[in-house]
Amino acid sequence: MTTLLIADRDANERTGISWLVSTCAIPYDQVITAGTVDELLRAIEAERPDVICLELDMIPKKSWERVKLLASLYRPTVIVTTAEATFERALQGIELHAADLWLKPQSPEHIRRTLTRCCQSRQVMGTDRVEQADPYGSTLTYRSLFLPQETPGKGFQLMLLQLEETNKHSKLLGFLETYPFRDKPVLLPLSDTIVCLFAVEKEAAWTSVLETGKRLLSDWEEQHTESLSLVLFHSADQALSLHQKYRYAVEALDIRFFKGYRQISIVENKVNWAIFDPFLTPAEQRAWIDMLHDGDREQLKQWMYREFLHKTEPYPEPGLLRIRLTSILAQVRRFMKSHGLDEGVLEEKYHRVFETILYTPVLYRIVQELLLFIYELLDSATVHREESRRDLIEQAIRYLEENYARADLRLEEVARHVDRSPAYFSSLLTKRQGVSFRQLLTTIRLREAERLLLESRLSVQEIAERTGFVNANYFSKIFKEKSGTTPRSFRNQKKREKS
């Protein structure tokens, strides 16, 4: 009988997964639930479930060691769930030898596939055997991978395969099951990888396994479009258990972060990542702010390429590089806010880039997506600046049209109204309108004076006062300079033309 335990503080989550198991006919004989850590501990000891779907966030620090102890004693298949996409949660999952980690919310289809796979794996493990024996007569099981001293590593070569789209591993498994290996390995499929164990008696067999890996990768790519990453573990350390070899190979999967897929990574021991301070220094922050405001695309690209691409061993720890990329994204965020770009489509793209940095498995893709987003921001900032400048001049003109009658209206007042310095506003106005502030104001006043001369019986003195001129004489002088005639003559001439 296969038992599933769903441990989650959220009653809706427990109910939803239970309903999914029943409606999708996932072959569990019994489903039990726990809403607290105490209920979880009692259920593990009393029911000894085969599979546990466990919310990590529900376990306080004081109970963590107890949970790990029970998991090691009863050896259930564990699926961990969390709302926190942090490395700490991932490490907890590793400590429990989790078959999968779900970030909430998770799609029902992914939940269904994982629960089905785990159930089937437990049914296979129930026999506690697989078909192929090692050279020393013992048997290989999933326990060999997950229990530290279950199986000695001597006499085994380990190959680890992972597709970029891990939900298509059933296709990869089918490919391996029918592949013409010279010496057929034991296949141990997991939720996100497939382990191939080659039983060999001589160290010289390593060359054969390496050639098999190269040929397998080539044949897969000829027949399929899905990207495949392959890790071969080869070590002269005969004391390593299969569990240790598997753990080191899993760590080495992260080398694809630098090399990409469609590659074979050969590891001989635990990967030693280079450790560094991932956060931008104050000088680097200023440099980024300057590059963004200058819109220097080539300088931005060269900075990113120099900082992140063409890495060699020892590789930097991938998690720290992701933190460094988010530190850069924080400067991009400041640029967005300062230019009013933190809304609409660009805001949505910003969040997608953030997710790309967190989850995309290959570094050069992250760099490319971040650069393309930055280029789009620079284009949008240019358009936004032009629109802002147009809006600024339009605001100034409207202010002049509303206040032209005031003889004391000055450039400084209008510049203050549009929140710019007098010098900047004067320069921008001349550039956009082709006239100075004084010329524009005079034009607006004379236009209104012409209207009053034609449509009213006001005297020239009254019109001068209403249009912001100091006195009638100055008004008449300026009017004649612009129109070639005096205000009185202009009025009389227009009246004669009408009659």
Side-chain angles (χ1 to χ4, degrees), residues 289-298 300 335 378 385:
I289 291 171
D290 291 342
M291 288 189 293
L292 289 169
H293 283 288
D294 292 343
D296 193 334
R297 300 182 184 216
E298 185 61 27
L300 285 163
F335 177 79
L378 295 178
R385 277 195 295 267

Side-chain angles (χ1 to χ4, degrees), residues 13 147 155 224-225 259 262 343 393:
E13 290 280 348
L147 297 183
H224 303 279
T225 58
K259 297 172 64 174
R262 308 177 188 276
E343 58 185 17
I393 297 303

Side-chain angles (χ1 to χ4, degrees), residues 53-67:
C53 184
L54 172 61
E55 181 200 15
L56 290 173
D57 310 311
M58 76 183 295
I59 305 173
K61 288 184 178 180
K62 63 180 182 180
S63 301
W64 177 245
E65 293 302 322
R66 178 67 176 166
V67 171

Side-chain angles (χ1 to χ4, degrees), residues 7 14 29 31 52 57-58 73 78 84 121 139 159 243 269 300 330 353 425 437 455 467 469 471 488 499:
R14 300 195 300 271
D29 300 293
V31 177
I52 301 177
D57 310 311
M58 76 183 295
L73 286 174
V78 181
E84 299 180 13
S121 296
T139 316
M159 181 189 297
H243 166 76
N269 214 312
L300 285 163
V353 170
F425 171 66
F437 171 78
E455 298 178 4
T467 53
F469 290 98
N471 54 53
R488 189 169 285 104
S499 63

Side-chain angles (χ1 to χ4, degrees), residues 163-224:
L163 290 176
E164 182 170 7
E165 301 176 73
T166 56
N167 60 338
K168 295 186 178 180
H169 270 164
S170 58
K171 180 188 290 188
L172 176 59
L173 180 59
F175 173 81
L176 295 172
E177 287 173 338
T178 59
Y179 191 76
F181 290 101
R182 189 177 70 177
D183 297 305
K184 194 168 183 64
V186 173
L187 302 178
L188 298 176
L190 300 166
S191 62
D192 60 350
T193 56
I194 296 179
V195 181
C196 295
L197 295 175
F198 295 87
V200 294
E201 297 184 8
K202 297 180 180 180
E203 185 64 21
W206 158 249
T207 303
S208 174
V209 174
L210 177 58
E211 290 304 316
T212 297
K214 293 178 179 178
R215 178 166 53 86
L216 187 152
L217 182 61
S218 176
D219 291 345
W220 169 266
E221 292 193 341
E222 284 184 6
Q223 302 175 36
H224 303 279

Side-chain angles (χ1 to χ4, degrees), residues 433-491:
Q433 298 297 116
V435 296
S436 68
F437 171 78
R438 180 56 57 186
Q439 289 170 326
L440 178 60
L441 178 57
T442 299
T443 298
I444 292 173
R445 284 171 168 169
L446 289 176
R447 187 169 62 234
E448 179 62 15
E450 286 182 358
R451 187 187 70 79
L452 292 174
L453 286 168
L454 296 176
E455 298 178 4
S456 74
R457 295 182 179 181
L458 295 172
S459 67
V460 172
Q461 175 68 39
E462 290 173 319
I463 290 175
E465 293 174 354
R466 291 195 179 194
T467 53
F469 290 98
V470 177
N471 54 53
N473 290 335
Y474 180 69
F475 166 56
S476 296
K477 176 186 175 183
I478 298 299
F479 192 92
K480 186 173 183 179
E481 286 178 359
K482 299 298 183 182
S483 63
T485 184
T486 65
R488 189 169 285 104
S489 298
F490 175 82
R491 173 182 272 175

Side-chain angles (χ1 to χ4, degrees), residues 4 12 37 93 116 120 145 176 181 199 209 221 239 250 282 319 335 447 481 496:
L4 170 66
N12 291 332
V37 70
T116 300
Q120 293 170 345
L145 300 182
L176 295 172
F181 290 101
V209 174
E221 292 193 341
V250 169
F335 177 79
R447 187 169 62 234
E481 286 178 359
R496 284 195 299 271

Side-chain angles (χ1 to χ4, degrees), residues 386-403:
E386 290 301 314
E387 290 176 347
S388 296
R389 287 171 180 170
R390 285 196 293 269
D391 291 345
L392 184 149
I393 297 303
E394 289 170 3
Q395 290 176 40
I397 291 174
R398 284 197 297 272
Y399 192 79
L400 289 174
E401 290 173 340
E402 293 170 358
N403 295 277

